[in-house]
């Protein structure tokens, strides 16, 4: 299994998209920093939207998580699962006496490891850029917090935020893998994957509008069935120290949603992937 994982890891690194994204991370960080420099001019000090050296890594992740990281995950999984099947490369791997389940988990672990590396490089780059482009502050104001926090506290918060952001990418990846193994072409896989992201983005807006128009008063937490909504504001809510937000039990709800996506779609993808009539 270790040899198979190593093989899948090398196959992913042969993809130009992996190297392009890795090389592009510093550029993405610099462009994001320039955006927040301009944004600071219209945001008062003490606002959670005001960017400092200490909170820039979190602000940089908020800005790029939904679009950049989701799209990179979609493309990587498409070339790893859909394209290799359609090109016949998967049959060559199976000739080495590896089972479908072994190949599936090796691909999944190789992808998860690569995304973890991207997150680490992104975090380190953002931490350096924060002190280069922004002023330091002894106290930070966070979203959904009733009080300011120290710079030392911000370190733990940042690590927690990146951990939850990574978990959200694992959740979307489970959906993308399921889409990839049922798609007959890479174009279809990317198209359906982008469609899922657009539906996930649109659902909270439609849900809120429907709730207001009908007056049903359905729980606001139901909009966090959307993975992109968890990425947009849900992570901050999960890490909130506000007494009002803690009463919602939001963290448990969203963790269950993420776990559900991962369990259901990973199980479905593995079942389809290991069907002999499709992949052998």
């Amino acid at each position: 299994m270790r040899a198979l994982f190593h093989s899948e890891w090398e196959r992913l690194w042969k993809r130009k998209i992996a190297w392009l994204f890795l090389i592009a991370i510093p550029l993405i960080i610099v462009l994001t920093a320039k955006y927040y420099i301009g944004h600071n001019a219209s945001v008062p000090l003490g606002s959670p939207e005001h960017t400092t050296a200490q909170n820039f890594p979190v602000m940089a992740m908020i800005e790029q998580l939904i679009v950049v990281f989701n799209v990179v995950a979609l493309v990587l999984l498409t070339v790893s699962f859909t394209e290799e099947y359609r090109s016949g490369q998967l049959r060559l791997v199976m000739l080495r006496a590896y089972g479908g389940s072994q190949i599936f988990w090796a691909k999944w672990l190789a992808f998860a490891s690569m995304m973890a590396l991207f997150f680490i490089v992104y975090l380190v780059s953002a931490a350096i850029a924060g002190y280069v482009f922004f002023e330091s502050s002894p106290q930070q104001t966070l979203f959904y917090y009733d009080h300011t926090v120290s710079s030392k506290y911000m370190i733990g918060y940042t690590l927690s935020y990146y951990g939850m952001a990574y978990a959200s990418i694992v959740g979307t990846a489970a959906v993308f893998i399921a889409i990839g193994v049922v798609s007959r072409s890479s174009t279809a896989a990317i198209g359906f994957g982008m469609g899922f992201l657009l539906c996930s983005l649109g659902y909270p807006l439609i849900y809120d509008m429907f709730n207001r128009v009908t007056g049903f008063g359905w729980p606001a937490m139901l909009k966090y069935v959307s993975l992109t909504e968890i990425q947009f504001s849900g992570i901050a809510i999960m890490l909130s120290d506000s007494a009002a937000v803690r009463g919602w039990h939001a963290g448990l709800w969203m963790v269950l949603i993420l776990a559900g996506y991962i369990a259901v779609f990973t199980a479905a993808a593995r079942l389809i992937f290991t069907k002999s009539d499709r992949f052998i």
Side-chain angles (χ1 to χ4, degrees):
M1 186 65 181
R2 182 179 299 178
L4 184 57
F5 168 80
H6 187 262
S7 173
E8 292 298 333
W9 174 261
E10 288 183 337
R11 289 158 76 87
L12 274 179
W13 280 112
K14 289 180 180 178
R15 306 292 181 176
K16 291 181 180 179
I17 181 63
W19 286 105
L20 285 174
F21 181 61
L22 186 64
I23 295 170
I25 286 177
L27 177 61
I28 294 171
I29 292 293
V30 170
L31 293 175
T32 305
K34 289 185 177 296
Y35 165 77
Y36 278 117
I37 289 171
H39 187 64
N40 274 359
S42 60
V43 175
L45 291 171
S47 167
E49 295 185 31
H50 187 85
T51 306
T52 66
Q54 287 78 13
N55 72 7
F56 176 68
V58 170
M59 300 298 282
M61 179 54 66
I62 291 173
E63 187 66 24
Q64 304 298 345
L65 177 59
I66 292 178
V67 176
V68 174
F69 280 88
N70 280 334
V71 171
V72 168
L74 173 60
V75 175
L76 282 175
L77 289 169
T78 297
V79 298
S80 179
F81 283 86
T82 310
E83 185 178 300
E84 288 192 4
Y85 163 67
R86 298 303 301 172
S87 66
Q89 296 178 50
L90 197 58
R91 294 183 180 90
L92 297 177
V93 177
M94 297 193 80
L95 288 175
R96 301 186 210 168
Y98 290 115
S101 182
Q102 289 176 300
I103 296 173
F104 177 86
W105 289 118
K107 286 181 175 294
W108 174 238
L109 290 174
F111 164 79
S113 300
M114 178 172 284
M115 290 305 299
L117 176 62
F118 288 157
F119 269 81
I120 292 170
V121 173
Y122 193 88
L123 173 58
V124 172
S125 301
I128 295 171
Y131 284 94
V132 172
F133 292 102
F134 299 95
E135 294 182 1
S136 183
S137 174
Q139 295 292 318
Q140 312 297 319
T141 304
L142 300 175
F143 292 101
Y144 305 105
Y145 266 64
D146 297 328
H147 55 84
T148 59
V149 301
S150 66
S151 296
K152 184 177 180 180
Y153 182 93
M154 194 68 205
I155 296 173
Y157 181 90
T158 301
L159 293 175
S160 297
Y161 198 100
Y162 271 68
M164 291 308 302
Y166 178 76
S168 75
I169 288 295
V170 172
T172 57
V175 179
F176 293 154
I177 293 173
I179 291 172
V181 298
V182 300
S183 297
R184 294 293 179 176
S185 68
S186 298
T187 302
I190 291 177
F192 285 123
M194 293 300 296
F196 168 78
L197 288 178
L198 290 175
C199 290
S200 191
L201 285 167
Y203 165 74
L205 300 175
I206 296 172
Y207 178 80
D208 284 340
M209 184 182 299
F210 180 80
N211 225 4
R212 287 196 301 269
V213 171
T214 61
F216 286 164
W218 288 350
M221 291 305 298
L222 286 179
K223 69 180 181 180
Y224 290 104
V225 170
S226 162
L227 286 174
T228 55
E229 188 66 13
I230 291 177
Q231 293 174 335
F232 177 67
S233 64
I235 297 174
I237 290 177
M238 280 190 274
L239 298 177
S240 170
D241 196 42
S242 168
V245 174
R246 285 201 304 268
W248 299 353
H249 302 292
L252 177 60
W253 168 253
M254 282 182 263
V255 167
L256 290 175
I257 291 295
L258 281 174
Y261 271 102
I262 294 170
V264 171
F265 284 96
T266 300
R270 179 186 172 279
L271 178 63
I272 297 169
F273 187 89
T274 53
K275 286 177 63 177
S276 60
D277 61 337
R278 179 174 176 81
F279 285 99
I280 296 180

